[in-house]
Amino acid sequence: MTNQRRTPGTTRIEDRWTRRDGTPSKRHGTGKRWLLRWIDHNGEEKTASYTRKIDATRHEKTITAQFHNGDYIDPHNARTTLATIHEEWSTITSPTVKPTTRTNRKSTWKNHVAPVWGDREAGSIRKPEVKAWVAEQHKNGTGPAVLQQSMFILRAVLGHAVEAGIIVHNPAAGVKLPRTGQRPRPILTATEVERLARTVDYLPEIVRFLAYTGLRFGEASALTVADIDLKRRRINVNKAYSDVGGTMVLGDTKTYETRSVPFPGVLDGDLRALTAGKLKTAPVFTSVERRPLRHSNYRSRYFRPAVDTLREVYEDFPALTLHDLRHTAASLAISSGANVKAVQRMLGHATATETLNRYADLFPDDLDAVARGINALVKPSRSGRSGLRADQQEKTTSPVAEEMWSDLLTYWSRLRESNSRPSHYE
């Protein structure tokens, strides 16, 4: 006997009180009379009982329409809790993200998402509830970064539920987060960089290095002597350290790409001293104990105390983090005339759009030049004189920062004019 193939979406309604010949059945008058049967996507039969035939017929039409539109969901699956779905989603996505990302997501889920949504059935969650939760988190003082990460996880888990056929629509999709003002970006002048470097009690070289190259701290701490080309003044950035649950893990860079970054001649002395007499595989920057330089330790032991000291001495010295030195590098590059693409390559951003989104505010003089150029074109015509063409206008460039020395200008000029690109950018 061969098994008959069950076609998903097939439905039928049975009268359990009456036999096919019209005579009463043994169940006559007992329980609900009408039984709806249908076949789900897995070929399994599902049933539902009704007192009235009209209700069974209405459900049958709904199921038929759902199969026709491709949005049929098994009611049993919709009762799956978000904690169960999160576990599956986390297992699937874990191999595609870095250890630090996995750790951060796990912490965010445990502390911010699971307490509210973990025990909820996926099919019971509605968009107004998600909006109310976001508003409540914002009202309670949850930081923008934490709220953004929490919402990402909730949206991703529910999105996985849609893909898995557990729910039809993602109730977190399209939910907007409260707008927050951009934190003022502390940017140091060249003089302030030197003041900071002279004030830190250990490894002042890394302060200058980060401020003049734009490397991430984890990328700098992973550099070896072999990565420094003193003749060409180039840095080969191909790996980075990250702190994963208290353990230093050496892995790929943030964008999984390698890049070649030039450094200015003012760093020659520092880098020669740091690499002299070392093996090619030796790290350039290490802790006092000659271990990999940990971001949190250097920040708390040396960098923050130095910043606090300078803020007591100089009223206008900004409160900044180690990562803000990266912004200083971008600012110096732009002030020196580097274009957006050059800054993108130096900082290791995935796209030039990311660079523009972060540092567009560093081009105020360029915007002023646009206004002056338009004014020069329009004003003569309004006074009755013929205006000059755009190509006849005097070109205006942004003023170079007063404290930028000629060597740094040469450095950024080389970066801007270089046409060579590493193969991994192709």
Side-chain angles (χ1 to χ4, degrees), residues 116-127:
V116 178
W117 303 106
D119 293 332
R120 287 288 301 273
E121 295 178 356
S124 71
I125 300 174
R126 298 293 179 263
K127 181 170 288 189

Side-chain angles (χ1 to χ4, degrees), residues 203 205-206 209 225 269-278 283-285:
L203 208 58
E205 296 88 350
I206 197 169
F209 184 84
V225 174
D270 286 347
L271 292 178
R272 288 185 186 280
L274 288 168
T275 57
K278 290 184 178 180
V284 177
F285 302 105

